[in-house]
Amino acid sequence: MTLQEFKENCAQIQREYTEKITSAADVASVEELRVAALGRKGALTELLKNLKDFSIEDKKTAGPLGNALKNTLTQAIEEKTAALQTKELNEQLNRVDLDLTLPARPVPCGKRHPLSVAQKRMTDILSKLGFTWAEGPWVEDEKHNFDMLNIPKHHPARDAQDTFFAQTGSPVSMVLRTHTSNVQSRYMEKHQPPLRIMAPGRVFRNDSLDATHSPVFHQIEGLYVDKNVSMADLKRDLSAFMKGLLGDKTEIRFRPSFFPFTEPSAEVDVKCVFCAGKGCPVCKGSGWIEMLGAGVVHPNVLKNCGIDPEKYSGYAFGMGVERLAMMMMNINDIRAFYENDLRLLNQF
Ligand code: PHE
């Protein structure tokens, strides 16, 4: 091949492929053209094989010419490919009707149950007041649920009307604990004062389900035993607790009551948060809502647990988590906590 023929061939390839690349319709045809021109058996590749037969002089002209053509074609192919890719992407986006202004889809996310939220707020406040966590079993022997708590054998609280008896095959009579006070006996038989515990948990009573009763509900027990603990300490701590839970203006009052395991005993009322004490349907016109039972730990209970009542005294309280949660969250039916209606659960 002469140098002249080489030049003409170059010009011919340039013309042919530039035109074909320009008019290519899609990325795949551009790729075919690349292979046809620059591939291992491509037109330009084949032409360049002639270089080796040229004289040194001719090579100086032909070599750069061939290289320049190769660069020109490579660049044209890259540019055309990029342009076609953009065009194809745009067409595709138009086809799928994409609306970029639509809000993102919500990601469903689990959350705490309102009772857990309420219980956590209560235990958080109690732990700031110095109470540490304690627990006891749900299936309990009568000794810890009743006997050690000074509840006599024929006390009505032991009646099958209130208590679920559990058939465990154990020789001792077992019940589903009727209150978290079993943790008092469990804890004090193992620990000497000073002690200050809170015991949240599930309790069971043979009640039928209505707006204010449930056979399964939750309590938090509080117990503080040390030297010279009195009713005054109880009132100070419960007042601080209720203010923390329901707001600084919250007021409480003690009414005399009776529990076998405390003496003296009290029912603690909170001034109605719905009417500020004026009287409304929630507090049934009285201005106060009954919240919990409490009192000074009965000396017999200390004795039963191996604590010297001459040396130590204590207070105890037990409050219903559902009842307080209903106040905090403005829920008027206890069943709402157990129905797991997402419309309710999602609000907390
Ligand atoms: N255990 C009592 C109840 O369930 C509440 C209580 C606890 C009262 C501690 C006094 C002291 O009703």
Side-chain angles (χ1 to χ4, degrees), residues 112-127 133 198 200 220 245 321 328:
R112 280 179 200 271
H113 190 277
L115 270 183
S116 306
V117 174
Q119 182 181 295
K120 181 162 190 312
R121 279 190 50 198
M122 297 176 209
T123 52
D124 280 352
I125 297 170
L126 288 173
S127 79
W133 195 278
M198 57 182 169
I220 301 179
L245 193 67
V321 176
M328 289 159 62

PDB file of all heavy atoms in Angstrom, residues 112-127 133 198 200 220 245 321 328:
ATOM      1  N   ARG A 112     -43.570   2.206  71.998  1.00  0.00           N
ATOM      2  CA  ARG A 112     -43.969   1.646  73.284  1.00  0.00           C
ATOM      3  C   ARG A 112     -45.475   1.686  73.466  1.00  0.00           C
ATOM      4  O   ARG A 112     -46.129   2.626  73.030  1.00  0.00           O
ATOM      5  CB  ARG A 112     -43.362   2.486  74.407  1.00  0.00           C
ATOM      6  CG  ARG A 112     -41.932   2.191  74.699  1.00  0.00           C
ATOM      7  CD  ARG A 112     -41.492   3.137  75.813  1.00  0.00           C
ATOM      8  NE  ARG A 112     -40.045   3.261  75.863  1.00  0.00           N
ATOM      9  CZ  ARG A 112     -39.270   2.453  76.583  1.00  0.00           C
ATOM     10  NH1 ARG A 112     -39.801   1.497  77.292  1.00  0.00           N
ATOM     11  NH2 ARG A 112     -37.970   2.618  76.577  1.00  0.00           N
ATOM     12  N   HIS A 113     -45.991   0.702  74.164  1.00  0.00           N
ATOM     13  CA  HIS A 113     -47.403   0.682  74.542  1.00  0.00           C
ATOM     14  C   HIS A 113     -47.645   1.795  75.574  1.00  0.00           C
ATOM     15  O   HIS A 113     -46.781   2.042  76.411  1.00  0.00           O
ATOM     16  CB  HIS A 113     -47.715  -0.692  75.140  1.00  0.00           C
ATOM     17  CG  HIS A 113     -49.174  -0.929  75.360  1.00  0.00           C
ATOM     18  ND1 HIS A 113     -49.825  -0.480  76.478  1.00  0.00           N
ATOM     19  CD2 HIS A 113     -50.101  -1.537  74.593  1.00  0.00           C
ATOM     20  CE1 HIS A 113     -51.109  -0.830  76.401  1.00  0.00           C
ATOM     21  NE2 HIS A 113     -51.298  -1.472  75.256  1.00  0.00           N
ATOM     22  N   PRO A 114     -48.829   2.464  75.513  1.00  0.00           N
ATOM     23  CA  PRO A 114     -49.087   3.559  76.455  1.00  0.00           C
ATOM     24  C   PRO A 114     -48.897   3.163  77.928  1.00  0.00           C
ATOM     25  O   PRO A 114     -48.439   3.978  78.732  1.00  0.00           O
ATOM     26  CB  PRO A 114     -50.536   3.958  76.175  1.00  0.00           C
ATOM     27  CG  PRO A 114     -51.058   3.007  75.157  1.00  0.00           C
ATOM     28  CD  PRO A 114     -49.895   2.353  74.508  1.00  0.00           C
ATOM     29  N   LEU A 115     -49.210   1.915  78.252  1.00  0.00           N
ATOM     30  CA  LEU A 115     -48.997   1.492  79.648  1.00  0.00           C
ATOM     31  C   LEU A 115     -47.511   1.465  79.992  1.00  0.00           C
ATOM     32  O   LEU A 115     -47.116   1.826  81.105  1.00  0.00           O
ATOM     33  CB  LEU A 115     -49.570   0.087  79.874  1.00  0.00           C
ATOM     34  CG  LEU A 115     -51.025  -0.002  80.320  1.00  0.00           C
ATOM     35  CD1 LEU A 115     -51.378  -1.458  80.570  1.00  0.00           C
ATOM     36  CD2 LEU A 115     -51.275   0.833  81.563  1.00  0.00           C
ATOM     37  N   SER A 116     -46.700   1.042  79.043  1.00  0.00           N
ATOM     38  CA  SER A 116     -45.251   1.042  79.289  1.00  0.00           C
ATOM     39  C   SER A 116     -44.736   2.467  79.402  1.00  0.00           C
ATOM     40  O   SER A 116     -43.871   2.762  80.223  1.00  0.00           O
ATOM     41  CB  SER A 116     -44.499   0.331  78.167  1.00  0.00           C
ATOM     42  OG  SER A 116     -45.010  -0.952  77.966  1.00  0.00           O
ATOM     43  N   VAL A 117     -45.290   3.355  78.546  1.00  0.00           N
ATOM     44  CA  VAL A 117     -44.887   4.763  78.615  1.00  0.00           C
ATOM     45  C   VAL A 117     -45.210   5.316  80.000  1.00  0.00           C
ATOM     46  O   VAL A 117     -44.372   5.936  80.662  1.00  0.00           O
ATOM     47  CB  VAL A 117     -45.624   5.595  77.533  1.00  0.00           C
ATOM     48  CG1 VAL A 117     -45.330   7.076  77.692  1.00  0.00           C
ATOM     49  CG2 VAL A 117     -45.252   5.113  76.135  1.00  0.00           C
ATOM     50  N   ALA A 118     -46.444   5.041  80.459  1.00  0.00           N
ATOM     51  CA  ALA A 118     -46.875   5.558  81.763  1.00  0.00           C
ATOM     52  C   ALA A 118     -46.019   4.961  82.882  1.00  0.00           C
ATOM     53  O   ALA A 118     -45.527   5.670  83.766  1.00  0.00           O
ATOM     54  CB  ALA A 118     -48.347   5.230  81.994  1.00  0.00           C
ATOM     55  N   GLN A 119     -45.823   3.640  82.813  1.00  0.00           N
ATOM     56  CA  GLN A 119     -45.046   2.991  83.873  1.00  0.00           C
ATOM     57  C   GLN A 119     -43.625   3.533  83.919  1.00  0.00           C
ATOM     58  O   GLN A 119     -43.060   3.762  84.985  1.00  0.00           O
ATOM     59  CB  GLN A 119     -45.018   1.476  83.667  1.00  0.00           C
ATOM     60  CG  GLN A 119     -44.248   0.779  84.781  1.00  0.00           C
ATOM     61  CD  GLN A 119     -44.169  -0.722  84.590  1.00  0.00           C
ATOM     62  OE1 GLN A 119     -45.169  -1.410  84.635  1.00  0.00           O
ATOM     63  NE2 GLN A 119     -42.977  -1.212  84.367  1.00  0.00           N
ATOM     64  N   LYS A 120     -43.048   3.776  82.746  1.00  0.00           N
ATOM     65  CA  LYS A 120     -41.672   4.274  82.720  1.00  0.00           C
ATOM     66  C   LYS A 120     -41.595   5.674  83.335  1.00  0.00           C
ATOM     67  O   LYS A 120     -40.651   5.985  84.064  1.00  0.00           O
ATOM     68  CB  LYS A 120     -41.134   4.281  81.292  1.00  0.00           C
ATOM     69  CG  LYS A 120     -39.706   4.777  81.234  1.00  0.00           C
ATOM     70  CD  LYS A 120     -39.012   4.411  79.951  1.00  0.00           C
ATOM     71  CE  LYS A 120     -37.519   4.699  80.005  1.00  0.00           C
ATOM     72  NZ  LYS A 120     -37.168   6.012  80.498  1.00  0.00           N
ATOM     73  N   ARG A 121     -42.606   6.510  83.042  1.00  0.00           N
ATOM     74  CA  ARG A 121     -42.575   7.846  83.648  1.00  0.00           C
ATOM     75  C   ARG A 121     -42.633   7.750  85.163  1.00  0.00           C
ATOM     76  O   ARG A 121     -41.971   8.487  85.885  1.00  0.00           O
ATOM     77  CB  ARG A 121     -43.737   8.695  83.126  1.00  0.00           C
ATOM     78  CG  ARG A 121     -43.406   9.297  81.757  1.00  0.00           C
ATOM     79  CD  ARG A 121     -44.419  10.324  81.311  1.00  0.00           C
ATOM     80  NE  ARG A 121     -44.705  11.334  82.321  1.00  0.00           N
ATOM     81  CZ  ARG A 121     -45.777  12.121  82.315  1.00  0.00           C
ATOM     82  NH1 ARG A 121     -46.648  11.995  81.346  1.00  0.00           N
ATOM     83  NH2 ARG A 121     -45.967  13.011  83.261  1.00  0.00           N
ATOM     84  N   MET A 122     -43.428   6.786  85.661  1.00  0.00           N
ATOM     85  CA  MET A 122     -43.543   6.626  87.120  1.00  0.00           C
ATOM     86  C   MET A 122     -42.242   6.109  87.726  1.00  0.00           C
ATOM     87  O   MET A 122     -41.753   6.626  88.729  1.00  0.00           O
ATOM     88  CB  MET A 122     -44.687   5.679  87.457  1.00  0.00           C
ATOM     89  CG  MET A 122     -46.036   6.213  87.011  1.00  0.00           C
ATOM     90  SD  MET A 122     -47.369   5.011  87.315  1.00  0.00           S
ATOM     91  CE  MET A 122     -48.483   5.452  86.014  1.00  0.00           C
ATOM     92  N   THR A 123     -41.666   5.080  87.105  1.00  0.00           N
ATOM     93  CA  THR A 123     -40.441   4.519  87.691  1.00  0.00           C
ATOM     94  C   THR A 123     -39.271   5.492  87.547  1.00  0.00           C
ATOM     95  O   THR A 123     -38.380   5.521  88.391  1.00  0.00           O
ATOM     96  CB  THR A 123     -40.095   3.148  87.074  1.00  0.00           C
ATOM     97  OG1 THR A 123     -40.074   3.264  85.647  1.00  0.00           O
ATOM     98  CG2 THR A 123     -41.099   2.099  87.478  1.00  0.00           C
ATOM     99  N   ASP A 124     -39.280   6.311  86.483  1.00  0.00           N
ATOM    100  CA  ASP A 124     -38.222   7.330  86.348  1.00  0.00           C
ATOM    101  C   ASP A 124     -38.260   8.307  87.522  1.00  0.00           C
ATOM    102  O   ASP A 124     -37.227   8.657  88.093  1.00  0.00           O
ATOM    103  CB  ASP A 124     -38.391   8.125  85.042  1.00  0.00           C
ATOM    104  CG  ASP A 124     -37.843   7.362  83.832  1.00  0.00           C
ATOM    105  OD1 ASP A 124     -37.215   6.299  84.050  1.00  0.00           O
ATOM    106  OD2 ASP A 124     -38.049   7.818  82.694  1.00  0.00           O
ATOM    107  N   ILE A 125     -39.475   8.735  87.880  1.00  0.00           N
ATOM    108  CA  ILE A 125     -39.599   9.685  88.998  1.00  0.00           C
ATOM    109  C   ILE A 125     -39.183   9.009  90.303  1.00  0.00           C
ATOM    110  O   ILE A 125     -38.414   9.546  91.090  1.00  0.00           O
ATOM    111  CB  ILE A 125     -41.039  10.214  89.113  1.00  0.00           C
ATOM    112  CG1 ILE A 125     -41.409  10.990  87.844  1.00  0.00           C
ATOM    113  CG2 ILE A 125     -41.198  11.101  90.347  1.00  0.00           C
ATOM    114  CD1 ILE A 125     -42.881  11.345  87.756  1.00  0.00           C
ATOM    115  N   LEU A 126     -39.677   7.767  90.504  1.00  0.00           N
ATOM    116  CA  LEU A 126     -39.324   7.062  91.739  1.00  0.00           C
ATOM    117  C   LEU A 126     -37.821   6.842  91.845  1.00  0.00           C
ATOM    118  O   LEU A 126     -37.241   6.933  92.930  1.00  0.00           O
ATOM    119  CB  LEU A 126     -40.063   5.718  91.817  1.00  0.00           C
ATOM    120  CG  LEU A 126     -41.568   5.828  92.104  1.00  0.00           C
ATOM    121  CD1 LEU A 126     -42.235   4.471  91.988  1.00  0.00           C
ATOM    122  CD2 LEU A 126     -41.804   6.428  93.500  1.00  0.00           C
ATOM    123  N   SER A 127     -37.182   6.559  90.718  1.00  0.00           N
ATOM    124  CA  SER A 127     -35.740   6.304  90.830  1.00  0.00           C
ATOM    125  C   SER A 127     -35.012   7.596  91.184  1.00  0.00           C
ATOM    126  O   SER A 127     -34.008   7.576  91.893  1.00  0.00           O
ATOM    127  CB  SER A 127     -35.184   5.593  89.594  1.00  0.00           C
ATOM    128  OG  SER A 127     -34.993   6.490  88.550  1.00  0.00           O
ATOM    129  N   TRP A 133     -34.985  -0.844  91.658  1.00  0.00           N
ATOM    130  CA  TRP A 133     -35.888  -1.812  91.035  1.00  0.00           C
ATOM    131  C   TRP A 133     -35.898  -3.142  91.779  1.00  0.00           C
ATOM    132  O   TRP A 133     -34.850  -3.660  92.149  1.00  0.00           O
ATOM    133  CB  TRP A 133     -35.399  -2.031  89.607  1.00  0.00           C
ATOM    134  CG  TRP A 133     -36.377  -2.699  88.697  1.00  0.00           C
ATOM    135  CD1 TRP A 133     -36.606  -4.031  88.595  1.00  0.00           C
ATOM    136  CD2 TRP A 133     -37.224  -2.055  87.735  1.00  0.00           C
ATOM    137  NE1 TRP A 133     -37.564  -4.264  87.623  1.00  0.00           N
ATOM    138  CE2 TRP A 133     -37.951  -3.069  87.080  1.00  0.00           C
ATOM    139  CE3 TRP A 133     -37.442  -0.717  87.363  1.00  0.00           C
ATOM    140  CZ2 TRP A 133     -38.879  -2.797  86.073  1.00  0.00           C
ATOM    141  CZ3 TRP A 133     -38.354  -0.453  86.370  1.00  0.00           C
ATOM    142  CH2 TRP A 133     -39.070  -1.495  85.735  1.00  0.00           C
ATOM    143  N   MET A 198     -38.797  -0.053  94.484  1.00  0.00           N
ATOM    144  CA  MET A 198     -40.063   0.030  93.742  1.00  0.00           C
ATOM    145  C   MET A 198     -40.203  -1.291  92.989  1.00  0.00           C
ATOM    146  O   MET A 198     -39.224  -1.845  92.511  1.00  0.00           O
ATOM    147  CB  MET A 198     -40.027   1.205  92.753  1.00  0.00           C
ATOM    148  CG  MET A 198     -38.868   1.126  91.773  1.00  0.00           C
ATOM    149  SD  MET A 198     -38.856   2.565  90.687  1.00  0.00           S
ATOM    150  CE  MET A 198     -37.248   2.365  89.900  1.00  0.00           C
ATOM    151  N   PRO A 200     -42.564  -2.697  90.073  1.00  0.00           N
ATOM    152  CA  PRO A 200     -43.674  -2.623  89.116  1.00  0.00           C
ATOM    153  C   PRO A 200     -44.007  -4.018  88.602  1.00  0.00           C
ATOM    154  O   PRO A 200     -43.122  -4.872  88.530  1.00  0.00           O
ATOM    155  CB  PRO A 200     -43.101  -1.791  87.962  1.00  0.00           C
ATOM    156  CG  PRO A 200     -41.635  -1.670  88.202  1.00  0.00           C
ATOM    157  CD  PRO A 200     -41.272  -2.423  89.446  1.00  0.00           C
ATOM    158  N   ILE A 220     -47.501  -0.568  90.966  1.00  0.00           N
ATOM    159  CA  ILE A 220     -46.120  -0.321  91.379  1.00  0.00           C
ATOM    160  C   ILE A 220     -46.121  -0.252  92.902  1.00  0.00           C
ATOM    161  O   ILE A 220     -46.848   0.544  93.500  1.00  0.00           O
ATOM    162  CB  ILE A 220     -45.557   0.994  90.809  1.00  0.00           C
ATOM    163  CG1 ILE A 220     -45.593   0.974  89.281  1.00  0.00           C
ATOM    164  CG2 ILE A 220     -44.117   1.195  91.304  1.00  0.00           C
ATOM    165  CD1 ILE A 220     -45.068   2.250  88.643  1.00  0.00           C
ATOM    166  N   LEU A 245     -45.340  13.683  88.421  1.00  0.00           N
ATOM    167  CA  LEU A 245     -46.101  12.958  87.405  1.00  0.00           C
ATOM    168  C   LEU A 245     -47.182  13.833  86.768  1.00  0.00           C
ATOM    169  O   LEU A 245     -47.373  13.816  85.556  1.00  0.00           O
ATOM    170  CB  LEU A 245     -46.762  11.735  88.058  1.00  0.00           C
ATOM    171  CG  LEU A 245     -47.346  10.701  87.112  1.00  0.00           C
ATOM    172  CD1 LEU A 245     -46.234  10.014  86.332  1.00  0.00           C
ATOM    173  CD2 LEU A 245     -48.166   9.675  87.885  1.00  0.00           C
ATOM    174  N   VAL A 321     -51.189   1.181  87.991  1.00  0.00           N
ATOM    175  CA  VAL A 321     -50.599   1.857  86.831  1.00  0.00           C
ATOM    176  C   VAL A 321     -51.689   2.308  85.846  1.00  0.00           C
ATOM    177  O   VAL A 321     -51.675   3.440  85.352  1.00  0.00           O
ATOM    178  CB  VAL A 321     -49.584   0.935  86.114  1.00  0.00           C
ATOM    179  CG1 VAL A 321     -49.047   1.598  84.849  1.00  0.00           C
ATOM    180  CG2 VAL A 321     -48.451   0.581  87.047  1.00  0.00           C
ATOM    181  N   MET A 328     -53.321  10.462  83.322  1.00  0.00           N
ATOM    182  CA  MET A 328     -52.274  11.151  82.563  1.00  0.00           C
ATOM    183  C   MET A 328     -52.662  11.311  81.104  1.00  0.00           C
ATOM    184  O   MET A 328     -52.326  12.300  80.468  1.00  0.00           O
ATOM    185  CB  MET A 328     -50.970  10.341  82.615  1.00  0.00           C
ATOM    186  CG  MET A 328     -50.271  10.335  83.950  1.00  0.00           C
ATOM    187  SD  MET A 328     -49.151   8.910  84.085  1.00  0.00           S
ATOM    188  CE  MET A 328     -48.011   9.229  82.756  1.00  0.00           C
TER     189      MET A 328
END
